[in-house]
Every structure is written in C-alpha cells, then in structure tokens.
Amino acid sequence: MSAEVFTEQILVWLGPVPLTRTMVSSAATSLILVLVLAPVGRAVARAPSGRLAAAGRLMHGFLTDLVTQAVGRPSPGLERFAGSLFLFIAGAALLGQLPGVVPPTANLAATSSLAALVFLAVPIAGVRARGPLGYVKHYFQPNPLLFPLHLVSELSRTLALALRLFGNMMSGHLIVALIVALVGLIVPVPLMALDLLIGLLQAYIFTILASVYIGAAIRVGEED
Amino acid sequence: MSEHTILALVSIVTAGLTMALGAIGAALGESRIGAASMDALARQPDEAGVITRNQFVALAMVESTAIFCLVIALVLLFANPLLPAR
C-alpha cells in the first residue's frame, strides 16, 4: 500500500501550471459553499421568518458569539474573515466524508496558506486599529529585550496552526484508509464519525485561535 | 547491511518511538483536562455549555503536541530526506 502523505500527484498540466487534487477539491469546496449559502443569504434578506433564514441567522449568531468572546467586543470585519475560515474548514471536513474525496485541508500546502492568511491578517488588523506606531510599539513591550521572543512566538504559532489542522485531518483520513484496507465493511464507520467530529472541532479551534490572535493585535495596549 | 538499510531501519524504529513517547505526554495532559472539566461540571452543572466548549478547545491544543509527533513520524516514514526517493 502506498500512501501519499506529503507528496501529491499532478492531475493535469494547464500550460505551465500543474493542477493537483488539492486545488480541485478546495475549489469544489468553495463552489459548493457559495452555491449552498447564497440562497441562505437571499432568504435572510427577503423573508426573515423562513426556515432557511433561521438557519442562516443561527450560523451568523454562532460566529458573532465566537468572535465577540475572543476579541471582547463586536468586530464585523473579523467576523467575515473568521466566518470564511470556519465555513471553509468545516465544509472541507464534510466533503472529506464522501468516498474517494480527500479534503483539501489534509494537504500541508493548503493548511499553510490558511495559516499564512492569519499571519498576514494579524498586523493588518493591528495597524488598522492602532496605527503603525501603536502596533509596532507592542513588540517592544514590556522590555525591548523581548522583541525576538515576540517574533518567534508569531512564527511558531503560525507553524502550529498549519501543522495542527494538517495533522488532524490527514491522520483521520489515513486511519480510515488503513481500516478500510484491512476490514472494509461497517468497522470503519465509528472511525469515520470520529473523523467528522475531529474535523468540525478543528474548524472551530482554527477559527477561535485566529480570532484570539487577531483580537490580541486589535486590543494592543487596551488591557490592564 | 548497506548504509541505506541501516538508515531505513533507524528511521522506522525512531518513528515508532516518536509516536509512542509523544502519545504519553498528550495522554497525561488530556486526562488532567478531562478530570478537571468533569470536576467543574459536577460543581456547576449550569455552566455545562461553556465548560464543555473550553474543554474541547483545551483538549485540541494539548492534542496538537501528539499531532506534531505524528507529523514527524510520518516525515521519517514517507518523506525522509536522508533516504533516496522511491
């Protein structure tokens, strides 16, 4: 049995650009999310009492609570970012349950790009909330000697964010694949349920950690 | 044994050891989180929602150490930089 854990076969070359399985599955995830959620959004705008609209507002309320708890105050811009992250990762976990589909988040490149988005969003949110000087100042507090430690912590938490999501999604998929190769019927079902639970949990954790990191950058110097 | 066979042997044994030792730490940490959150639940059943949510977040954070060990074990097995590409 050969396992593709870190490498990936290229499906087709589009000119100089290789098209891999992860690219296809992440594009499919985004497309399905848009197709499913666009009617929900329209239902909320048109008829606020319908069943679809209730589902949409339930989702919105959940994300608003999550971000507000992490940041300490409502912040609509961060809600959009965190909501996109949550829906994409949760949608990828759900899509990964289909037979033959490997979720895009089981690829280190895909999770690294998600973590890189969070890494870039932190200074952008900080500068927008505090101004460039106000944001940079927190790197030198409480003591300028701590500047390298601040930098290392930002880099290492980004690495941890990417590796945590990748490891969880990929290991769940690998375990299910191993059991399917050994037994085949019925036995993998509880493990698949666990895989689904872990996928949704990881989406929640990725989102809450991203909100906490960005929230900390927004609130620089506000605490105490 | 050739040089590559020894390297492959050591890599496989090390991958198993990495996973075994890494799992011990995460298991101890997670058991403490589980015990503490059960204690909190028994004391304050009204706060079950908040406690369970924070418990899951804490569990996943601790679990990530075991996941890092898993990633390293898989690097040793499937993407070992010292072994020739298959």
Side-chain angles (χ1 to χ4, degrees):
Chain A
M1 196 191 115
S2 73
E4 288 191 347
V5 175
F6 296 98
T7 56
E8 206 178 15
Q9 66 199 119
I10 290 159
L11 294 178
V12 66
W13 285 85
L14 300 175
V17 186
L19 192 67
T20 64
R21 206 179 45 200
T22 304
M23 293 162 75
V24 175
S25 61
S26 58
T29 309
S30 316
L31 196 68
I32 290 173
L33 278 178
V34 170
L35 288 182
V36 169
L37 292 179
V40 175
R42 251 180 283 134
V44 172
R46 203 178 48 225
S49 59
R51 202 173 286 173
L52 268 184
R57 282 195 300 187
L58 211 61
M59 229 181 309
H60 179 250
F62 167 74
L63 289 167
T64 311
D65 280 356
L66 194 158
V67 171
T68 311
Q69 276 180 2
V71 183
R73 59 163 182 245
S75 39
L78 180 53
E79 265 167 42
R80 283 183 206 116
F81 181 64
S84 312
L85 281 177
F86 178 82
L87 289 173
F88 181 77
I89 299 171
L94 288 172
L95 203 71
Q97 297 299 310
L98 295 177
V101 180
V102 179
T105 40
N107 182 288
L108 190 53
T111 58
S112 304
S113 59
L114 288 177
L117 277 181
V118 177
F119 179 73
L120 292 178
V122 167
I124 291 173
V127 168
R128 268 176 69 178
R130 304 272 109 199
L133 269 182
Y135 176 69
V136 170
K137 210 171 69 183
H138 100 276
Y139 280 107
F140 298 95
Q141 275 170 351
N143 193 316
L145 282 177
L146 293 180
F147 174 65
L149 286 184
H150 276 290
L151 275 189
V152 168
S153 93
E154 291 225 341
L155 288 173
S156 69
R157 76 191 189 189
T158 308
L159 186 72
L161 215 52
L163 277 183
R164 183 182 301 122
L165 185 59
F166 162 70
N168 274 292
M169 303 302 289
M170 188 269 309
S171 67
H173 215 76
L174 204 63
I175 289 168
V176 171
L178 274 174
I179 302 288
V180 166
L182 285 177
V183 193
L185 214 63
I186 310 290
V187 183
V189 171
L191 285 169
M192 288 173 75
L194 183 70
D195 188 25
L196 182 60
L197 172 74
I198 287 179
L200 294 179
L201 196 63
Q202 288 303 320
Y204 181 72
I205 285 157
F206 194 98
T207 315
I208 210 163
L209 284 178
S211 314
V212 166
Y213 296 159
I214 298 170
I218 292 176
R219 283 181 304 147
V220 168
E222 252 178 42
E223 59 264 5
D224 318 319
Chain B
M1 279 195 286
S2 75
E3 199 176 316
H4 284 321
T5 320
I6 296 174
L7 263 178
L9 190 69
V10 172
S11 299
I12 292 168
V13 171
T14 313
L17 274 179
T18 308
M19 209 47 248
L21 295 178
I24 291 175
L28 288 176
E30 287 193 18
S31 68
R32 293 188 60 145
I33 292 172
S37 64
M38 287 300 136
D39 195 33
L41 264 177
R43 282 171 201 272
Q44 292 197 311
D46 295 344
E47 297 293 316
V50 179
I51 291 171
T52 314
R53 201 168 56 218
N54 285 319
Q55 176 209 12
F56 273 126
V57 173
L59 280 179
M61 298 284 290
V62 173
E63 177 120 334
S64 57
T65 55
I67 294 291
F68 296 157
C69 288
L70 174 73
V71 171
I72 287 174
L74 289 173
V75 166
L76 283 173
L77 290 179
F78 294 111
N80 199 324
L82 299 176
L83 290 176
R86 281 161 298 166

